[in-house]
Each structure stands twice: as structure tokens, then as C-alpha cells.
Amino acid sequence: MKFTQQDIARIIGVDTKTLRNWRRDKPELYRRVMLSFRYEEILLALKNQYEEFKKIGDNLH
């Protein structure tokens, strides 16, 4: 699931403008926030792939 900056700001409880300011003024903080959301996306994708592989394996037996 892709999040917009507006989604991310709402989820972490800041204004969208604050998030944009972090991008400009606090790039390391902004990078870490973005990485945490990317991490969640990757985990969800891996979970979905695992479930698909499991279905395929179950159908082979």
C-alpha cells in the first residue's frame, strides 16, 4: 500500500506542511520516517507473497 505525504502526516499526527519542512530542514528525520513506512510496505508484500506460495504448495499435495 502506497501512502501519500498527506496520509503519512495524518498517521504520525503532524501537519503536511511539517512533513515538508522536515524534508527540507531535517532530512535525516524525514528519511527515517519514510523508511519506516517503506518497511511496512515491504513486510506486507512479503506476507502476501508467502501466502501465495503457501497456497501453491498446498495445491501440489
Side-chain angles (χ1 to χ4, degrees):
M1 173 179 205
K2 285 283 189 181
F3 292 105
T4 65
Q5 284 199 343
Q6 188 176 26
D7 294 332
I8 292 169
R10 182 182 41 77
I11 291 168
I12 64 174
V14 300
D15 188 70
T16 305
K17 185 178 178 182
T18 300
L19 197 57
R20 285 192 301 261
N21 289 341
W22 286 352
R23 185 176 185 181
R24 183 188 67 229
D25 301 330
K26 298 180 180 183
E28 184 60 24
L29 174 60
Y30 180 81
R31 185 181 75 80
R32 289 174 186 260
V33 169
M34 294 299 115
L35 282 173
S36 70
F37 279 89
R38 183 67 182 130
Y39 174 78
E40 291 294 324
E41 291 172 2
I42 290 168
L43 285 181
L44 180 58
L46 288 172
K47 178 184 173 201
N48 291 338
Q49 288 176 345
Y50 169 79
E51 290 170 357
E52 284 298 315
F53 285 133
K54 186 162 175 17
K55 284 180 193 176
I56 292 168
D58 291 345
N59 289 333
L60 294 176
H61 292 111

